[in-house]
Every structure is written in structure tokens, then in C-alpha cells.
Amino acid sequence: MEKNVTLQHMLKRTTFLPVFSTRSMHTNRWLERILAFVFLAPSLLLFSIFLFYPLLKSVYLSMNLTDPRGRVVQYVGLRNFTDLLTSELFYKSITVTLSFILLTVPTGIILSLILAWLAQTRLRGIHLFRFIFSLPMAISVGTGSIIWMVLYHPTLGTLNYFLSLLHIAPINWLSDPNWALFSVALMTVWMNLGFQFIVLLSGMQGVSEDIYDSAQIDGAGPLKTFFKLTLPLITPSIFFVTVVSMIGAFQSFGQINILTKGGPMNSTNVMVFNIYQDAFMNYRFGTGSAQALILFFIVLILTLIQFKVLEKKVHYQ
Amino acid sequence: MIMNRMNKGLLYFVLLIASCLILFPLLYTLSSSFMTNGESATYPPRMLPSHLNWDNYMNVIQTIPVMRFIGNSFIVSTLIMIGQIVTASTAAYAFAFLRFPGKTFLFALFLATMMIPWEVIMIPNYLTIKNWNLLDSYTGLIIPFVASAFGTFLLRQSFLQLPGELFEAARIDGCGHIRIFLSLVLPLSTPAIATLGVYSFLNHWNMYLWPLLITNKEEMRTVQIGISMLQFEEMTSWNLVLAGVVTVLIPSLLLLVLGLKPLVRGITAGALKG
């Protein structure tokens, strides 16, 4: 695809390039190359310093022990990795991360699918509802977490008050190891709803009206239309939202640092929080980097699997 | 017809319930920010303040450098946004219209950078910034984010959709690449540039982990760090904290109102590409 585009462009270009003489052609080509280099240089320079070099440095650090200032003191080979693979805390952080993903991604997508389906109807004032549903997008981890911290307060919080109205005993949302991950996930679902809603709604709006009209003529009810028509037709959007949300869930950090600090009893100790703690609280940059690399490979493999498996099932209109 | 009206009513009802659930945390925040200390600490919790009490806002602005936080975030996000627009638009022009060896490889390299999660490289980046003595500086907050592979990709797509005849005409008029870039491609691609701008501004306004690592001094904190530090210092009086939250939310909400359209356009571009 990509090759086709550039090829077409090249062909198009050569047909109208004024050809005066071989020499000017030559200098022209060189000028173009120099310009390309100048245009690409800022990005390439920044990527080299802040992406490629750090990636290599991570590999290097992961095989060493460092002092608190980040200077390498001892080469240890793969010991950081073998230490990790035998550490219970590391496995805990992986299972916590996976549970967190399971709690947030499917729930979020199902909820936003329902919202998008409700909001695609042409009713008076529907734009207001659409705006409300996309509002959480403006809320950052920092502010969102503070708001929910207040709501989750064990004695004075509104959530426990609502439970008491239903005669349910108060829950220690953030300090009960059985509830903490759920609570963080609930807040995360709320926070991500705006983005997921927008993607799915624009996916649904991309489906042409004619298809719905003919479905109506065929006498299909709204539920049948949704499952048999809308859902298959917006698989590209669902696919995109799933990939982005999963990668985002893997990278969650802010809400955990603010709400629970990985606790209680490591029940919310997700991978990025564990890396943060190892590297920036305990100054073990070596093991921190080793974990970061493992995270990188998990995310990479997941992305590739998702693209391979889901791409086949994705229906492009 | 009657059935239809009932359906409509039901639909409005469901939409209303969903809106209430989504808005509740925000409305509660807004309402608490107007409560007095006593009102915010009562049980059962009050849902509405007895009157609009602006003292919390005065207090927040006087006791906590919220305005400084907002200013910091504004400087950082704006400069990152401008930087990304400049680097991404030039790189996108090179990928879209210039011929040079290794183009396919470089483009693949750009795309591959999108696969690297930021958290994976934060340790070396932190060490770099620390070695350069840029902790607690705007430069340290800004510079790692100035190049954007996503932005390059987005703008390249939009550049390629510009009609080829325009370039032919410009070429015949004797325009060089720089003229074409500045006076033809850039002005014609303002929608895509606006998308990148809003996206990048909002993203970096909401950035949390990097400023947390890089800043120690209170006067260098960005909004997100400043507001979450508030929690530890002032957790005794929520009304105050929540007034701070509302103050900080206002700019993001304004941006969402103004930038929703270009933002949606950008997200959709990503979704369609798949």
C-alpha cells in the first residue's frame, strides 16, 4: 500500500519535472536529498536521543547493577532477569496488570458501545448528550483520581452513603485488598469512556444510511440491526479501540500512584508502578530497566497478535 | 406512532440516566467546591451547598500556587505543541514529496517508534535529563516530546491527499520545495495541523509520570502534579481541594469545547487506518 503510493507519486513527478540538462537534473536531485535531510533532521535527532538511545541503554542497564545516581557499578549479565523471574512480587505485578486489563478494557468498550448506539439516533438535543458522553476525555489522571478519592472516602464518601441507603455495609474501597483493584478499575473505566465513545460513535456514523433503511424494510428490529449490521460493520473501530485501550491499560500509573500507591498488600501493584518503585524509590535502575524491557516485549507481542488475529476477522466496508 | 413516541421517551430516559452517572463525579466536585468546611464534612453528605460560597476559590488561589501550576502546564504544552507541529510537518513533507535514498526504511523506523511505550524508556531518559542538569527546568519537561511519529504520520496522510495539479502549477511557476511547503502545503493542511495541535496540547497538559520524575521544586510543578500533591497537604478540607480541581479543570474543558471537532477528526483518522 505504502509502496504503491510513493511509487505513483514518483511516476507523476517525473512526468512533469522540467528536464533542462543532465547536470541540472543532477544538482536538482542532490538539492532534494539535502532538503530531505534538513527536514528530517530535527525528528531524527530527537528520536535518536530520546527513543533509540534509551532503548539500547535500557538493554545495557538491565545487565548491570547501578549506584543511586544511575552509574553502572557491576556487570551481572542476565541475573536481573533471572532474579525477576523467580521473584513473587514480579509475578504478582503481572497478574495484577492482567486483571486490571480484564476489568477495564471489556467493560469500557461494552459501555461505550451502548452509549454510542444510544447517541447515534437523531433526536432533538442529541448533541448535548454526545458532548456529555465525551466529557471524561477532558479529565486527566491527576484530577480524576482526586475526585474519586473523595468519592471513595470510607466514612464521609458519597459512594458508601449511597450503599447505606440500599442497606449495604460500607466498603473500604481503597484499603481493602479485595476491593482496591476494582475501585481503581472503576475510576479508570469512567476516565476512558470519553475517548472510547468518540471512536465508536464516529465508527457508527460512518455506516451509510442506506444499509439501515434496507434493514428496516426487511423488518429487522433495532436489536437485530445492531448485532447483525452495526456491530460487524464497525469492527475496524472496535479493533482500534481495543488495541489502544489495552496498551493504555498496560501503561496505567497515575491513578495507582495517587489512589493506592500499589497497596494494600500489593493488590494494585501494576507493572509500571513496580518499575517506578524499583527505579525511582529504591534506585535500582538495573532491575527497573529489566522489567521495562519485559513490559516492552509483552506489549509488542500483544500488539502483533492482535493485529494478526483480529485483522483477519475485521470487516472493512 | 404511539409506539414511536414511547420509544423516544424511553430513549431520552436512558440517555438521561447515563448522563447523570457520567456527570455525577463532576457535578459533585463542582457542588462541593462551593461548600463551607462544615458543610463538606457532615454525614450524611450534602449534595448541594447552602449558598454559592466563593471563599474556597479565593483560598486556593492565595494558599496554593494554582495559577503558577496552570502557567507552567500552559508553557510546557504550548511549546511541545509548536515543536511537534514544526518537526512533524517538515518530516511529513519529506516523506510525502521528496525523493531520497532510504525513504521506505526511515518511514518504517518512524512508524516503529510508535510501538515503544514511553514507560519503557523513561529510566534512561531520566538519567539523560539529570546528567544534563535539566531537572526542574522547562527544557527538561519539553524536549523529549518535541518529535512525534504519530504527528508525522497524520500530516503525511493529509499532505498526500492534496491535489497533485496544484503542485504541477506551482512547479511550472518555478516554485521550489520550500516555497511549496510554506505557502501551499501548510496553509492547505490547517485542519490536520489543528488536529495535531489539539491532540498534542491535551495529551501533554494531562501528562503525569514525566513531570512527577523531573520536578521537585513547587514552582516547577505542572497542573497534574500540583493538584495531586494538594491531596496530601490539604486532605482535611475537601471543599478546598475540589475548588482547586475545578480551577484546573476549566482550561481542559474549554479546550475540549473548542477542539472537539478537530480532535474527533484525528481520532477517526487513526481508527480508519486501523
Side-chain angles (χ1 to χ4, degrees), chain B residues 237-255:
Chain B
S237 41
W238 295 351
N239 46 346
L240 210 62
V241 176
L242 292 179
V245 168
V246 173
T247 319
V248 160
L249 270 179
I250 291 169
S252 333
L253 286 178
L254 269 181
L255 191 73

Side-chain angles (χ1 to χ4, degrees), chain B residues 50-66:
Chain B
S50 54
H51 62 283
L52 284 189
N53 166 28
W54 292 93
D55 295 355
N56 295 328
Y57 288 91
M58 297 316 239
N59 268 340
V60 160
I61 288 171
Q62 274 161 14
T63 52
I64 307 147
V66 193

Side-chain angles (χ1 to χ4, degrees), chain A residues 35 39, chain B residues 93 97-98 166-167 169-188:
Chain A
L35 190 68
F39 271 13
Chain B
Y93 187 87
F97 302 120
L98 297 177
L166 271 175
F167 298 100
R171 289 243 135 193
I172 290 163
D173 285 352
C175 284
H177 277 295
I178 295 183
R179 275 266 314 269
I180 294 183
F181 173 62
L182 288 177
S183 55
L184 211 64
V185 173
L186 283 187
L188 284 174

Side-chain angles (χ1 to χ4, degrees), chain A residues 105-288:
Chain A
V105 178
T107 342
I109 291 177
I110 291 171
L111 284 178
S112 45
L113 259 177
I114 298 174
L115 290 181
W117 185 55
L118 292 172
Q120 61 149 354
T121 42
R122 271 186 265 145
L123 284 178
R124 193 170 301 156
I126 199 71
H127 285 281
L128 180 67
F129 288 111
R130 284 183 193 163
F131 181 71
I132 291 174
F133 295 162
S134 33
L135 253 189
M137 203 157 85
I139 286 133
S140 63
V141 215
T143 43
S145 304
I146 301 290
I147 294 174
W148 282 81
M149 185 164 229
V150 174
L151 294 177
Y152 281 143
H153 192 279
T155 51
L156 296 174
T158 12
L159 288 186
N160 273 344
Y161 170 66
F162 288 145
L163 287 185
S164 78
L165 291 182
L166 300 169
H167 302 289
I168 298 172
I171 293 170
N172 283 322
W173 297 97
L174 297 172
S175 52
D176 182 339
N178 295 318
W179 280 99
L181 191 66
F182 172 85
S183 312
V184 177
L186 181 65
M187 175 264 164
T188 310
V189 167
W190 177 76
M191 205 176 65
N192 292 340
L193 215 53
F195 170 78
Q196 295 167 334
F197 166 75
I198 287 180
V199 177
L200 294 176
L201 179 68
S202 31
M204 286 185 191
Q205 287 173 331
V207 178
S208 84
E209 287 292 321
D210 306 349
I211 296 179
Y212 288 125
D213 288 344
S214 54
Q216 216 163 25
I217 291 165
D218 288 348
L223 276 182
K224 197 174 173 195
T225 322
F226 177 73
F227 282 108
K228 297 270 166 183
L229 261 178
T230 317
L231 215 51
L233 284 174
I234 60 161
T235 37
S237 306
I238 298 180
F239 172 65
F240 172 76
V241 157
T242 315
V243 178
V244 172
S245 307
M246 273 187 76
I247 294 176
F250 256 110
Q251 292 166 274
S252 306
F253 170 80
Q255 60 271 59
I256 283 143
N257 189 41
I258 297 171
L259 288 174
T260 60
K261 298 242 170 273
M265 288 160 58
N266 293 319
S267 59
T268 56
N269 191 6
V270 291
M271 286 183 85
V272 176
F273 187 79
N274 208 29
I275 297 173
Y276 169 76
Q277 237 181 353
D278 252 4
F280 299 103
M281 298 279 130
N282 306 327
Y283 299 108
R284 290 160 50 193
F285 293 108
T287 40

Side-chain angles (χ1 to χ4, degrees), chain A residues 273-314:
Chain A
F273 187 79
N274 208 29
I275 297 173
Y276 169 76
Q277 237 181 353
D278 252 4
F280 299 103
M281 298 279 130
N282 306 327
Y283 299 108
R284 290 160 50 193
F285 293 108
T287 40
S289 298
Q291 283 183 71
L293 284 176
I294 295 177
L295 175 75
F296 176 47
F297 281 111
I298 297 178
V299 171
L300 196 70
I301 290 169
L302 256 171
T303 329
L304 292 178
I305 291 177
Q306 279 192 318
F307 271 96
K308 280 262 178 277
V309 175
L310 284 174
E311 190 97 322
K312 278 185 196 154
K313 294 185 183 161
V314 167

Side-chain angles (χ1 to χ4, degrees), chain A residues 95-111:
Chain A
T95 43
V96 168
T97 310
L98 292 178
S99 329
F100 183 71
I101 291 172
L102 278 179
L103 282 171
T104 51
V105 178
T107 342
I109 291 177
I110 291 171
L111 284 178

